[in-house]
């Protein structure tokens, strides 16, 4: 295992399969137009498989496929099949907006995918349309039902809570989770790249969420952090579990074992990091696996990033990047970097 300067292991990898998305969520992709990664730069499935093998050799045991919308990539079950052969990866998961999940859940499961997280911010189709510019709310619900039918358990649902949008739906989402055997994880609205409409007053804090749920159900009981995972777990008095990811008001950099590879093979050590390292160049220039592993290990050993904690310390916190700087380097976008 490789550790960084704060003794954090290189253990978890988020792989973005594409920077494209079929939704335009206001907190992630609010603009009319985007600069996309060049198609020739996108890693092939074989290149991704090779990278995962190299990372697994350095101690990575968890891989999450994300994006953009990962299921926009053609034949994701085939990639899952390749990655599932890597026995050192004990946890192979997918984060999706669910729009294309209904048709693929069974194949993904059969190919060896272990866990699915679906993003769902509202139970109201008209809100969904206003916030994502899509009328296909029903497809997301069908995707969740199909994932459950395919046997994904525990099924997790990610909800970004934004004041003035969905903060009045916390209890409704808990009830939805109960009815669909899914665990809801409420995420504080983050000032990541791409969130160009972000402001602190729209952030509903962990404290506020717990108070609101407490008024409805009785005080939630903390169950502790999920190891190095970002969510803190809670239980309602009747035992219903839910999670809160308080990345904005109470970040957890000290435990962060995650890094991210974009669809074009750029490796980021932190969601907030200004720059990344092109592993694609190494993969495509005849570098041996051992030398790519050496590059990764040396880089991780020097890691000092505490991006979310540093953001908390910023006085008068505002958006991270303006639109021209996002257009100048689309790697700064959350949808490129992989959430
Ligand atoms: N398209 C997939 C999805 O919707 O799950 C995967 C990529 S998406 C970028 C991953 C996660 O990031 C989603 O749960 C999304 O809600 C979250 N996300 C995007 N922008 C965010 C923001 N500004 N604050 C908090 N979470 C955000």
């Amino acid at each position: 295992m490789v550790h960084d300067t704060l003794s954090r292991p290189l253990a978890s990898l988020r792989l973005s399969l594409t920077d494209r998305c079929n939704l335009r969520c206001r907190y992630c992709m609010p603009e009319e137009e985007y600069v996309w990664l060049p198609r020739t730069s996108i890693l092939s499935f074989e290149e991704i498989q090779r990278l995962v093998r190299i990372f697994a050799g350095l101690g990575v045991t968890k891989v999450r496929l994300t994006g953009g919308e990962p299921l926009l990539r053609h034949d994701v079950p085939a990639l899952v099949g390749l990655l599932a052969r890597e026995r050192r990866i004990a946890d192979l998961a997918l984060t999706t907006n669910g729009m294309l999940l209904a048709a693929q859940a069974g194949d993904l499961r059969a190919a060896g995918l272990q866990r699915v997280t679906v993003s769902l911010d509202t139970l109201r189709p008209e809100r969904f349309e206003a916030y994502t510019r899509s009328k296909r709310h029903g497809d997301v619900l069908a995707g969740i039902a199909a994932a459950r039918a395919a046997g994904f358990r525990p099924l997790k649902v990610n909800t970004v809570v934004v004041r003035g949008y969905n903060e009045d739906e916390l209890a409704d989402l808990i009830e939805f989770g109960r009815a669909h055997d899914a665990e809801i994880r409420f995420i504080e609205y983050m000032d990541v790249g791409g969130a160009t409409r972000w402001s602190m007053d729209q952030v509903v804090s962990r404290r506020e969420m717990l108070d609101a749920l407490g008024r409805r159900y009785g005080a939630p009981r903390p169950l502790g952090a999920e190891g190095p995972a970002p969510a803190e777990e809670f239980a309602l008095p009747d035992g219903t579990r839910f999670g809160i990811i308080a990345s904005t008001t109470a970040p957890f950099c000290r435990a962060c074992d995650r890094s991210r590879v974009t669809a074009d093979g750029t490796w980021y050590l932190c969601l907030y990091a200004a720059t990344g390292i092109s592993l694609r160049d190494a993969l495509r220039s005849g570098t041996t696996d051992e030398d790519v592993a050496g590059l990764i290990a040396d880089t991780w050993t020097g890691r000092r990033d505490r991006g979310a904690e540093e953001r908390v310390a910023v006085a008068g916190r505002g958006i991270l990047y303006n639109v021209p700087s996002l257009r100048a380097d689309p790697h700064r976008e959350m949808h490129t970097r992989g959430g």
Side-chain angles (χ1 to χ4, degrees), residues 76-102:
V76 178
L79 175 66
V80 167
L82 292 177
L83 301 185
R85 282 190 218 152
E86 177 51 72
R87 293 287 157 206
R88 293 170 292 187
I89 302 301
D91 185 13
L92 183 57
L94 171 83
T95 297
T96 171
N97 62 28
M99 301 268 287
L100 302 171
L101 185 57

Side-chain angles (χ1 to χ4, degrees), residues 27-28 66-69 95-97 119 158 160 188 190 192 334 339:
Y27 53 71
C28 189
T66 179
E69 173 44 42
T95 297
T96 171
N97 62 28
S119 300
N158 275 355
V160 181
E188 289 180 354
M190 295 169 70
V192 288
M334 174 78 149

Side-chain angles (χ1 to χ4, degrees), residues 93-162:
L94 171 83
T95 297
T96 171
N97 62 28
M99 301 268 287
L100 302 171
L101 185 57
Q104 300 192 49
D107 290 345
L108 289 164
R109 182 84 182 149
L113 188 71
Q114 289 160 312
R115 296 195 299 125
V116 171
T117 300
V118 182
S119 300
L120 175 69
D121 301 319
T122 178
L123 296 171
R124 304 187 192 179
E126 69 285 0
R127 280 191 179 174
F128 182 81
E129 184 176 346
Y131 229 69
T132 67
R133 295 190 228 150
S134 167
K135 294 182 192 299
R136 293 170 48 196
H137 186 251
D139 291 1
V140 180
L141 301 184
I144 291 173
R148 187 171 162 230
F152 287 108
R153 297 252 170 24
L155 186 61
K156 293 195 175 166
V157 169
N158 275 355
T159 300
V160 181
V161 184
V162 181

